Amino acid sequence: MPGANRDVREVVREEAVWRPRILAALAAGPMTVPEIAAAIDAPVHEVVFWVFGMRRYGWLAELKESESGGYFRYEPTGRVS
Amino acid sequence: MTDMTDMAVARDAAATSLDYDVLVVGAGIGGMESALKLGDMGYKVLLVEKEASVGGKMILLSKVFPTLDCASCISTPKMASTIHHANITPWTYAQVDKIRRTADGTFTATVTQKARHVDIDSCTGCQKCEMACTVAVPDQFNADLVGRRAAHLTFPQAVPKKAVIDRGGSSPCSFACPAGIQAHGYVSLIRSGLDEEAFRLVLDATPLVGTLGRACYAPCEGECTRGSLEGTLPIRRLKRFASDKHDASGKDNGLERPAPNGKRVAIVGSGPTGLTAAFQLAKLGYGVKVFEAAPVAGGFLTLGIPSYRLPEAVVARDIENVTGLGVEIAVNSMVSDPAALKADGFDAVLVATGTHRSQGLGVPGEDRLGVMGGTDFLRKMKLGQAIEVKGKKVVVVGGGNVAMDAARTARRLGASSVTVAYRRSRDEMPAHHVESADAEKEGVQFHLLVAPAEIVGNSAGAVAGLRCTQMRLGAPDASGRRSVEPVQGSSVTIDADLIIAAIGMMPDTSMFGGRVAVEKNGRLSSDKATCQTAVEHVFAAGDAVNGPTDITRSVGEGRKAAHQIDAWLNGREFDNWDDRLPVVDKQAVLARQKAFTLSAPTPDGTQLEPAPADFREIEAPLTEAEARRSSGRCIDCAVCSECGECVAACPVDGCIDLRSTAKTSDLKVGAVVVSTGFKLFPADLKPQYGYGKYQNVITAMQMDRLLAPTRPFNTVLRPGDGKVPDRIAYVLCTGSRDKQVDNPLCSRFCCMYSIKQNQLIMGALPLADVTVHYMDIRAPGKRYDEFYEQAKAMGANYVKGRVADITEKPDGNLLLKYEDIENGGAITESEYDLVVLAVGVQPNRDAEELFGVGELALDEWHYVNEPEEDMNPGQTNIPGVYVAGAASGAKDIADSIVHAGAAAAQVAAHLERTRPALPKIEMVPA
């Protein structure tokens, strides 16, 4: 997890840029944050900002049933624009 | 009269002219309590809160100690009571700029109501604007754990529940556009994948979307803040990207013909000014007819700009945006008397005939065969008229864009050589630097510092060369441009078969025969602001009035003319159509971030040949990936991009006004309550704890947000990777009781909020282990110690001893090194998933800014001083100014409320001593 921390403002600003890639990765099925980070080749702590920004605005939702090794899985809600 | 009577009269006069009895600054729990108590007593209260909602910090908490009442549940009724109270006027999203005490003992407060860009009366708080917004920024109300949108509701329980749009002014790119196009807006839309919306945003300003995407000189890019980092965004090419995507999609442009308003406007000239004006007027329901003297529509776009820069098909496609609204364009239709069009049923006429006439060289031999003007040359070529260029030596005189276009066109037509002769150096050339550089790459030669003296002919009378006088640069003139002066006796002749004079362009007004007023410089005469000519129904705009400019300025002129014609036809006063907000300060924009990650600009897409042989477009479009990456580099200078998505999504027409401005008022008040609260210690000032460096080290306020019902995540997760933490550590006294950070004071409530969070965590995460590292637990209030014991009984582990430092493991876990005092004082190391720093409080130094320098006394720790804290809580050193809540020192919620009540009582006593009813009471001299 150690890695350079970019300015939060810069990371948050990029949510829209990464959104299509995250949704594309999740088309294969629900994933945890670290799994999404691996799929889109982005730092996991930055993916947290994008996933929860997307969750806040209705793009993603967590699966209700269970955690996976301490991590929730997230899936697209179907919002398209 | 006695002195006492004089005073009473003065007080009477002052009190009766008060705007409010009391000004309360800050609407946290203390400010609300003071306002409510004073309102209940019958005083008129102005409550000013800098945020868009009342509630302060309390509303952001999960629960309160020791009752574990839901903070929202007990805050929101008080918040609602505050803003609905008959005697309280709440100004949220406002700031007190200055308070001045007047001679009569009252105060004048300067208060600015910031522009929230949302009509507070009609906003329903539906958050549709927020869902549609394309700009993401850190959410300060979620302690930066997640992003929010520029258009947003402060938080879900905001009171008033009204949206606010975070907008600092105009972004430099948008502000720089003479056409008034929201460059930041379409960049932001493309970043969000909303390419069609980006196209339509530009289309809202002008029909010439594809044209501007290719042929404008992008003043926006010159002002891009990113230009001072690693390079500007390719803003113009992004516009082209949106336009090309629209064209490729086959979608209609979304514009519907409006119902006719019964009025007709004639437009003379179909260049960028005329087309834009026609488009804007047609959208308003006017019947518009454009008269074009040339055989094709488009003016300079079609007859001046070569197709390697601007393909004719692109212009034709843009013109369809105009004709699609029902605008009729009549080509081969010269108008010689614009005013007379009224007799044909036109209510107004706009003359926008451009500058199509080339200026002559004014040297002997100019009438020789083989000499022509630059615009004439380009026009003939575009109309397919024969020009013999192949194999000829071409000399182009001039250094502007037309000269470059003519030279590069001649190269493509097969000239054996093309030379640009210019009387100054390259640095002084008026052509866009890209144009001259590209011309050179295409084989155009430059002969600089030469001025034409004579066109030399051959025996057949045709051109044989251009004799020039050598020039040299002199001193800069008033504009900074260096003057030139001839080198006496010098002469140089450049061989030429064809000479193209491109030293300037002028309007051609010959067809008007004096029926339209013309200035001495040959340009049409009209009012620069209103576009109206001496004939009231005739307007004139664009290059015909201003001289040659560029497409964006011409488009802007068209928009202005349409706006003013509409005003005149509807009997409205002429106004300033340019309602841009002031541009944001680029340095302030850059200062918002501690650091920027540099991102290489997208390479220039121009493909140049040293000997071009055709008119194929030279610039490649951005790929989809380039467009996303490029737009993603935008740093949202003004925050709101003016993309307009919020306006489109808002269900209430007119609710959102992105051009609204702040309002500042001077108000007279009888007393002031300072309730500006406190600030939290910035945890990164304790670098040994790794806050800001290790993602899983957070502050207690962040934990409170994670525990709150309106939390940013779905549960308590660590921010580094979204994992549910198993082992959580607290570090108490972070930044309090700490001389190293110059704060020896105890923050009074950190122990208790930590204990509260311990209990809540164990409720939310039953399997989690919670350990608190403390110096000593301070739980002196009613039921506080019991609350502490309860946490221990639930399983929280309390370890006495300072934490020395925190380090991070590769998996994001954290190693705490600490002194374990109760186990022999050994230096011990423990591993945790998440560390919470129980940060202390600091004074809010905003309080002292309210008054003149040094006027409001502070204590030695910079809290507002209470000279008689024990006997007269709430009193400050200024008569009539009181302090409520944590502005005078750390207090928990209960103590803040008690203190605010005391301050309210002090205010009431002060007002009763001074209000006009008092003269009825016998005043007793001290």
Side-chain angles (χ1 to χ4, degrees), chain B residues 20 27 45-49 54 79 82-85 87-94 113 116 120 159-160:
Chain B
Y20 297 94
V45 180
L46 174 63
L47 176 61
V48 177
E49 167 56 49
V54 299
M79 292 159 70
T82 302
I83 71 152
H84 294 304
H85 197 292
N87 287 332
I88 299 175
T89 301
W91 282 6
T92 54
Y93 212 53
Q113 292 176 283
R116 69 193 292 153
I120 201 160
V159 177

PDB file of all heavy atoms in Angstrom, chain B residues 20 27 45-49 54 79 82-85 87-94 113 116 120 159-160:
ATOM      1  N   TYR B  20     -30.798  45.529  12.695  1.00  0.00           N
ATOM      2  CA  TYR B  20     -31.030  44.382  13.584  1.00  0.00           C
ATOM      3  C   TYR B  20     -30.555  44.755  14.975  1.00  0.00           C
ATOM      4  O   TYR B  20     -29.605  45.522  15.133  1.00  0.00           O
ATOM      5  CB  TYR B  20     -30.258  43.139  13.099  1.00  0.00           C
ATOM      6  CG  TYR B  20     -30.712  42.659  11.741  1.00  0.00           C
ATOM      7  CD1 TYR B  20     -30.058  43.090  10.594  1.00  0.00           C
ATOM      8  CD2 TYR B  20     -31.808  41.803  11.610  1.00  0.00           C
ATOM      9  CE1 TYR B  20     -30.485  42.680   9.343  1.00  0.00           C
ATOM     10  CE2 TYR B  20     -32.236  41.388  10.364  1.00  0.00           C
ATOM     11  CZ  TYR B  20     -31.580  41.830   9.223  1.00  0.00           C
ATOM     12  OH  TYR B  20     -32.006  41.435   7.991  1.00  0.00           O
ATOM     13  N   ALA B  27     -22.989  30.140  12.908  1.00  0.00           N
ATOM     14  CA  ALA B  27     -24.225  29.426  13.247  1.00  0.00           C
ATOM     15  C   ALA B  27     -23.945  27.973  13.610  1.00  0.00           C
ATOM     16  O   ALA B  27     -24.651  27.064  13.205  1.00  0.00           O
ATOM     17  CB  ALA B  27     -25.225  29.520  12.102  1.00  0.00           C
ATOM     18  N   VAL B  45     -32.651  39.392  15.240  1.00  0.00           N
ATOM     19  CA  VAL B  45     -31.296  38.846  15.142  1.00  0.00           C
ATOM     20  C   VAL B  45     -30.933  38.596  13.675  1.00  0.00           C
ATOM     21  O   VAL B  45     -31.713  37.994  12.930  1.00  0.00           O
ATOM     22  CB  VAL B  45     -31.195  37.507  15.910  1.00  0.00           C
ATOM     23  CG1 VAL B  45     -29.781  36.931  15.806  1.00  0.00           C
ATOM     24  CG2 VAL B  45     -31.594  37.697  17.367  1.00  0.00           C
ATOM     25  N   LEU B  46     -29.750  39.041  13.299  1.00  0.00           N
ATOM     26  CA  LEU B  46     -29.182  38.628  12.009  1.00  0.00           C
ATOM     27  C   LEU B  46     -28.114  37.585  12.302  1.00  0.00           C
ATOM     28  O   LEU B  46     -27.143  37.870  13.019  1.00  0.00           O
ATOM     29  CB  LEU B  46     -28.547  39.824  11.279  1.00  0.00           C
ATOM     30  CG  LEU B  46     -27.800  39.457   9.975  1.00  0.00           C
ATOM     31  CD1 LEU B  46     -28.751  38.877   8.927  1.00  0.00           C
ATOM     32  CD2 LEU B  46     -27.064  40.671   9.410  1.00  0.00           C
ATOM     33  N   LEU B  47     -28.310  36.392  11.778  1.00  0.00           N
ATOM     34  CA  LEU B  47     -27.370  35.288  12.014  1.00  0.00           C
ATOM     35  C   LEU B  47     -26.609  35.044  10.710  1.00  0.00           C
ATOM     36  O   LEU B  47     -27.203  34.692   9.686  1.00  0.00           O
ATOM     37  CB  LEU B  47     -28.148  34.031  12.420  1.00  0.00           C
ATOM     38  CG  LEU B  47     -27.336  32.751  12.628  1.00  0.00           C
ATOM     39  CD1 LEU B  47     -26.319  32.910  13.739  1.00  0.00           C
ATOM     40  CD2 LEU B  47     -28.283  31.586  12.945  1.00  0.00           C
ATOM     41  N   VAL B  48     -25.312  35.236  10.738  1.00  0.00           N
ATOM     42  CA  VAL B  48     -24.493  35.111   9.528  1.00  0.00           C
ATOM     43  C   VAL B  48     -23.600  33.879   9.648  1.00  0.00           C
ATOM     44  O   VAL B  48     -22.846  33.742  10.616  1.00  0.00           O
ATOM     45  CB  VAL B  48     -23.633  36.374   9.305  1.00  0.00           C
ATOM     46  CG1 VAL B  48     -22.733  36.197   8.084  1.00  0.00           C
ATOM     47  CG2 VAL B  48     -24.530  37.586   9.124  1.00  0.00           C
ATOM     48  N   GLU B  49     -23.712  32.998   8.653  1.00  0.00           N
ATOM     49  CA  GLU B  49     -22.942  31.755   8.657  1.00  0.00           C
ATOM     50  C   GLU B  49     -22.194  31.650   7.337  1.00  0.00           C
ATOM     51  O   GLU B  49     -22.778  31.810   6.269  1.00  0.00           O
ATOM     52  CB  GLU B  49     -23.879  30.551   8.835  1.00  0.00           C
ATOM     53  CG  GLU B  49     -23.278  29.199   8.548  1.00  0.00           C
ATOM     54  CD  GLU B  49     -22.024  28.903   9.379  1.00  0.00           C
ATOM     55  OE1 GLU B  49     -22.074  29.091  10.605  1.00  0.00           O
ATOM     56  OE2 GLU B  49     -21.014  28.499   8.784  1.00  0.00           O
ATOM     57  N   VAL B  54     -26.589  26.071   8.400  1.00  0.00           N
ATOM     58  CA  VAL B  54     -26.285  26.241   9.817  1.00  0.00           C
ATOM     59  C   VAL B  54     -25.945  24.867  10.392  1.00  0.00           C
ATOM     60  O   VAL B  54     -26.155  23.840   9.750  1.00  0.00           O
ATOM     61  CB  VAL B  54     -27.475  26.879  10.573  1.00  0.00           C
ATOM     62  CG1 VAL B  54     -27.787  28.249  10.007  1.00  0.00           C
ATOM     63  CG2 VAL B  54     -28.714  25.981  10.524  1.00  0.00           C
ATOM     64  N   MET B  79     -31.587  23.445  14.372  1.00  0.00           N
ATOM     65  CA  MET B  79     -31.241  24.137  13.120  1.00  0.00           C
ATOM     66  C   MET B  79     -32.504  24.672  12.456  1.00  0.00           C
ATOM     67  O   MET B  79     -32.555  25.824  11.986  1.00  0.00           O
ATOM     68  CB  MET B  79     -30.502  23.176  12.180  1.00  0.00           C
ATOM     69  CG  MET B  79     -29.115  22.773  12.682  1.00  0.00           C
ATOM     70  SD  MET B  79     -28.488  21.243  11.938  1.00  0.00           S
ATOM     71  CE  MET B  79     -28.171  21.754  10.255  1.00  0.00           C
ATOM     72  N   THR B  82     -33.963  27.556  14.290  1.00  0.00           N
ATOM     73  CA  THR B  82     -33.158  28.766  14.086  1.00  0.00           C
ATOM     74  C   THR B  82     -33.559  29.479  12.806  1.00  0.00           C
ATOM     75  O   THR B  82     -33.817  30.685  12.807  1.00  0.00           O
ATOM     76  CB  THR B  82     -31.664  28.403  14.030  1.00  0.00           C
ATOM     77  OG1 THR B  82     -31.306  27.744  15.249  1.00  0.00           O
ATOM     78  CG2 THR B  82     -30.799  29.631  13.842  1.00  0.00           C
ATOM     79  N   ILE B  83     -33.611  28.727  11.723  1.00  0.00           N
ATOM     80  CA  ILE B  83     -33.843  29.450  10.458  1.00  0.00           C
ATOM     81  C   ILE B  83     -35.306  29.799  10.245  1.00  0.00           C
ATOM     82  O   ILE B  83     -35.622  30.642   9.418  1.00  0.00           O
ATOM     83  CB  ILE B  83     -33.276  28.715   9.227  1.00  0.00           C
ATOM     84  CG1 ILE B  83     -34.073  27.489   8.890  1.00  0.00           C
ATOM     85  CG2 ILE B  83     -31.808  28.419   9.354  1.00  0.00           C
ATOM     86  CD1 ILE B  83     -33.977  27.211   7.395  1.00  0.00           C
ATOM     87  N   HIS B  84     -36.197  29.156  10.988  1.00  0.00           N
ATOM     88  CA  HIS B  84     -37.621  29.501  10.819  1.00  0.00           C
ATOM     89  C   HIS B  84     -38.119  30.465  11.897  1.00  0.00           C
ATOM     90  O   HIS B  84     -39.293  30.820  11.927  1.00  0.00           O
ATOM     91  CB  HIS B  84     -38.471  28.231  10.835  1.00  0.00           C
ATOM     92  CG  HIS B  84     -38.199  27.336   9.658  1.00  0.00           C
ATOM     93  ND1 HIS B  84     -38.303  27.762   8.362  1.00  0.00           N
ATOM     94  CD2 HIS B  84     -37.794  26.047   9.591  1.00  0.00           C
ATOM     95  CE1 HIS B  84     -37.981  26.778   7.532  1.00  0.00           C
ATOM     96  NE2 HIS B  84     -37.655  25.725   8.257  1.00  0.00           N
ATOM     97  N   HIS B  85     -37.243  30.861  12.793  1.00  0.00           N
ATOM     98  CA  HIS B  85     -37.663  31.735  13.891  1.00  0.00           C
ATOM     99  C   HIS B  85     -38.070  33.102  13.337  1.00  0.00           C
ATOM    100  O   HIS B  85     -37.365  33.683  12.504  1.00  0.00           O
ATOM    101  CB  HIS B  85     -36.511  31.884  14.893  1.00  0.00           C
ATOM    102  CG  HIS B  85     -36.943  32.401  16.225  1.00  0.00           C
ATOM    103  ND1 HIS B  85     -37.406  33.681  16.426  1.00  0.00           N
ATOM    104  CD2 HIS B  85     -36.994  31.789  17.444  1.00  0.00           C
ATOM    105  CE1 HIS B  85     -37.707  33.846  17.695  1.00  0.00           C
ATOM    106  NE2 HIS B  85     -37.480  32.703  18.341  1.00  0.00           N
ATOM    107  N   ASN B  87     -37.961  35.947  14.568  1.00  0.00           N
ATOM    108  CA  ASN B  87     -37.076  37.080  14.886  1.00  0.00           C
ATOM    109  C   ASN B  87     -35.642  36.874  14.424  1.00  0.00           C
ATOM    110  O   ASN B  87     -34.774  37.681  14.741  1.00  0.00           O
ATOM    111  CB  ASN B  87     -37.093  37.340  16.403  1.00  0.00           C
ATOM    112  CG  ASN B  87     -38.398  37.964  16.844  1.00  0.00           C
ATOM    113  OD1 ASN B  87     -39.052  38.655  16.063  1.00  0.00           O
ATOM    114  ND2 ASN B  87     -38.804  37.695  18.074  1.00  0.00           N
ATOM    115  N   ILE B  88     -35.408  35.771  13.728  1.00  0.00           N
ATOM    116  CA  ILE B  88     -34.033  35.514  13.266  1.00  0.00           C
ATOM    117  C   ILE B  88     -33.995  35.561  11.740  1.00  0.00           C
ATOM    118  O   ILE B  88     -34.779  34.898  11.063  1.00  0.00           O
ATOM    119  CB  ILE B  88     -33.527  34.134  13.745  1.00  0.00           C
ATOM    120  CG1 ILE B  88     -33.512  34.073  15.273  1.00  0.00           C
ATOM    121  CG2 ILE B  88     -32.128  33.852  13.192  1.00  0.00           C
ATOM    122  CD1 ILE B  88     -33.138  32.707  15.838  1.00  0.00           C
ATOM    123  N   THR B  89     -33.091  36.357  11.231  1.00  0.00           N
ATOM    124  CA  THR B  89     -32.841  36.383   9.780  1.00  0.00           C
ATOM    125  C   THR B  89     -31.549  35.607   9.544  1.00  0.00           C
ATOM    126  O   THR B  89     -30.475  36.076   9.921  1.00  0.00           O
ATOM    127  CB  THR B  89     -32.687  37.825   9.275  1.00  0.00           C
ATOM    128  OG1 THR B  89     -33.890  38.534   9.570  1.00  0.00           O
ATOM    129  CG2 THR B  89     -32.426  37.851   7.773  1.00  0.00           C
ATOM    130  N   PRO B  90     -31.643  34.419   8.959  1.00  0.00           N
ATOM    131  CA  PRO B  90     -30.412  33.641   8.761  1.00  0.00           C
ATOM    132  C   PRO B  90     -29.812  33.916   7.386  1.00  0.00           C
ATOM    133  O   PRO B  90     -30.479  33.759   6.374  1.00  0.00           O
ATOM    134  CB  PRO B  90     -30.923  32.196   8.851  1.00  0.00           C
ATOM    135  CG  PRO B  90     -32.344  32.268   8.365  1.00  0.00           C
ATOM    136  CD  PRO B  90     -32.849  33.665   8.575  1.00  0.00           C
ATOM    137  N   TRP B  91     -28.585  34.354   7.376  1.00  0.00           N
ATOM    138  CA  TRP B  91     -27.860  34.505   6.112  1.00  0.00           C
ATOM    139  C   TRP B  91     -26.782  33.435   6.078  1.00  0.00           C
ATOM    140  O   TRP B  91     -25.721  33.599   6.700  1.00  0.00           O
ATOM    141  CB  TRP B  91     -27.230  35.892   5.996  1.00  0.00           C
ATOM    142  CG  TRP B  91     -28.204  36.978   5.616  1.00  0.00           C
ATOM    143  CD1 TRP B  91     -29.559  36.871   5.494  1.00  0.00           C
ATOM    144  CD2 TRP B  91     -27.892  38.344   5.328  1.00  0.00           C
ATOM    145  NE1 TRP B  91     -30.114  38.072   5.148  1.00  0.00           N
ATOM    146  CE2 TRP B  91     -29.115  39.004   5.029  1.00  0.00           C
ATOM    147  CE3 TRP B  91     -26.729  39.080   5.285  1.00  0.00           C
ATOM    148  CZ2 TRP B  91     -29.179  40.353   4.698  1.00  0.00           C
ATOM    149  CZ3 TRP B  91     -26.781  40.431   4.955  1.00  0.00           C
ATOM    150  CH2 TRP B  91     -27.998  41.065   4.659  1.00  0.00           C
ATOM    151  N   THR B  92     -27.080  32.362   5.386  1.00  0.00           N
ATOM    152  CA  THR B  92     -26.055  31.344   5.201  1.00  0.00           C
ATOM    153  C   THR B  92     -25.267  31.666   3.937  1.00  0.00           C
ATOM    154  O   THR B  92     -25.708  32.427   3.088  1.00  0.00           O
ATOM    155  CB  THR B  92     -26.690  29.943   5.073  1.00  0.00           C
ATOM    156  OG1 THR B  92     -27.666  29.980   4.033  1.00  0.00           O
ATOM    157  CG2 THR B  92     -27.344  29.515   6.368  1.00  0.00           C
ATOM    158  N   TYR B  93     -24.100  31.040   3.805  1.00  0.00           N
ATOM    159  CA  TYR B  93     -23.199  31.299   2.685  1.00  0.00           C
ATOM    160  C   TYR B  93     -22.918  32.798   2.600  1.00  0.00           C
ATOM    161  O   TYR B  93     -22.994  33.420   1.549  1.00  0.00           O
ATOM    162  CB  TYR B  93     -23.802  30.776   1.380  1.00  0.00           C
ATOM    163  CG  TYR B  93     -22.754  30.292   0.399  1.00  0.00           C
ATOM    164  CD1 TYR B  93     -21.807  29.355   0.779  1.00  0.00           C
ATOM    165  CD2 TYR B  93     -22.714  30.748  -0.915  1.00  0.00           C
ATOM    166  CE1 TYR B  93     -20.844  28.904  -0.110  1.00  0.00           C
ATOM    167  CE2 TYR B  93     -21.754  30.302  -1.811  1.00  0.00           C
ATOM    168  CZ  TYR B  93     -20.824  29.391  -1.403  1.00  0.00           C
ATOM    169  OH  TYR B  93     -19.876  28.943  -2.276  1.00  0.00           O
ATOM    170  N   ALA B  94     -22.654  33.358   3.761  1.00  0.00           N
ATOM    171  CA  ALA B  94     -22.378  34.797   3.851  1.00  0.00           C
ATOM    172  C   ALA B  94     -21.196  34.988   4.795  1.00  0.00           C
ATOM    173  O   ALA B  94     -20.864  34.087   5.573  1.00  0.00           O
ATOM    174  CB  ALA B  94     -23.607  35.533   4.373  1.00  0.00           C
ATOM    175  N   GLN B 113     -23.077  38.512   1.119  1.00  0.00           N
ATOM    176  CA  GLN B 113     -23.786  37.263   0.817  1.00  0.00           C
ATOM    177  C   GLN B 113     -23.158  36.704  -0.457  1.00  0.00           C
ATOM    178  O   GLN B 113     -23.308  37.271  -1.533  1.00  0.00           O
ATOM    179  CB  GLN B 113     -25.275  37.528   0.619  1.00  0.00           C
ATOM    180  CG  GLN B 113     -25.972  37.941   1.907  1.00  0.00           C
ATOM    181  CD  GLN B 113     -27.416  38.301   1.665  1.00  0.00           C
ATOM    182  OE1 GLN B 113     -27.712  39.382   1.171  1.00  0.00           O
ATOM    183  NE2 GLN B 113     -28.316  37.402   2.015  1.00  0.00           N
ATOM    184  N   ARG B 116     -24.550  31.939  -4.304  1.00  0.00           N
ATOM    185  CA  ARG B 116     -24.683  30.472  -4.271  1.00  0.00           C
ATOM    186  C   ARG B 116     -25.177  29.961  -5.611  1.00  0.00           C
ATOM    187  O   ARG B 116     -25.232  28.769  -5.839  1.00  0.00           O
ATOM    188  CB  ARG B 116     -25.511  30.008  -3.079  1.00  0.00           C
ATOM    189  CG  ARG B 116     -26.949  30.296  -3.050  1.00  0.00           C
ATOM    190  CD  ARG B 116     -27.565  30.058  -1.647  1.00  0.00           C
ATOM    191  NE  ARG B 116     -27.597  28.666  -1.220  1.00  0.00           N
ATOM    192  CZ  ARG B 116     -27.579  28.275   0.061  1.00  0.00           C
ATOM    193  NH1 ARG B 116     -27.510  29.155   1.034  1.00  0.00           N
ATOM    194  NH2 ARG B 116     -27.636  27.005   0.377  1.00  0.00           N
ATOM    195  N   ILE B 120     -32.620  30.554  -3.559  1.00  0.00           N
ATOM    196  CA  ILE B 120     -32.902  29.855  -2.313  1.00  0.00           C
ATOM    197  C   ILE B 120     -34.409  29.651  -2.107  1.00  0.00           C
ATOM    198  O   ILE B 120     -34.838  28.730  -1.421  1.00  0.00           O
ATOM    199  CB  ILE B 120     -32.249  30.607  -1.130  1.00  0.00           C
ATOM    200  CG1 ILE B 120     -32.071  29.683   0.066  1.00  0.00           C
ATOM    201  CG2 ILE B 120     -33.005  31.861  -0.786  1.00  0.00           C
ATOM    202  CD1 ILE B 120     -31.046  30.143   1.060  1.00  0.00           C
ATOM    203  N   VAL B 159     -29.509  22.725   6.537  1.00  0.00           N
ATOM    204  CA  VAL B 159     -30.615  23.655   6.804  1.00  0.00           C
ATOM    205  C   VAL B 159     -30.089  25.071   6.550  1.00  0.00           C
ATOM    206  O   VAL B 159     -29.171  25.509   7.240  1.00  0.00           O
ATOM    207  CB  VAL B 159     -31.115  23.518   8.257  1.00  0.00           C
ATOM    208  CG1 VAL B 159     -32.216  24.554   8.518  1.00  0.00           C
ATOM    209  CG2 VAL B 159     -31.629  22.119   8.543  1.00  0.00           C
ATOM    210  N   PRO B 160     -30.586  25.747   5.551  1.00  0.00           N
ATOM    211  CA  PRO B 160     -31.668  25.355   4.664  1.00  0.00           C
ATOM    212  C   PRO B 160     -31.201  24.266   3.698  1.00  0.00           C
ATOM    213  O   PRO B 160     -30.025  24.217   3.338  1.00  0.00           O
ATOM    214  CB  PRO B 160     -31.996  26.643   3.909  1.00  0.00           C
ATOM    215  CG  PRO B 160     -30.699  27.405   3.907  1.00  0.00           C
ATOM    216  CD  PRO B 160     -30.056  27.092   5.217  1.00  0.00           C
TER     217      PRO B 160
END
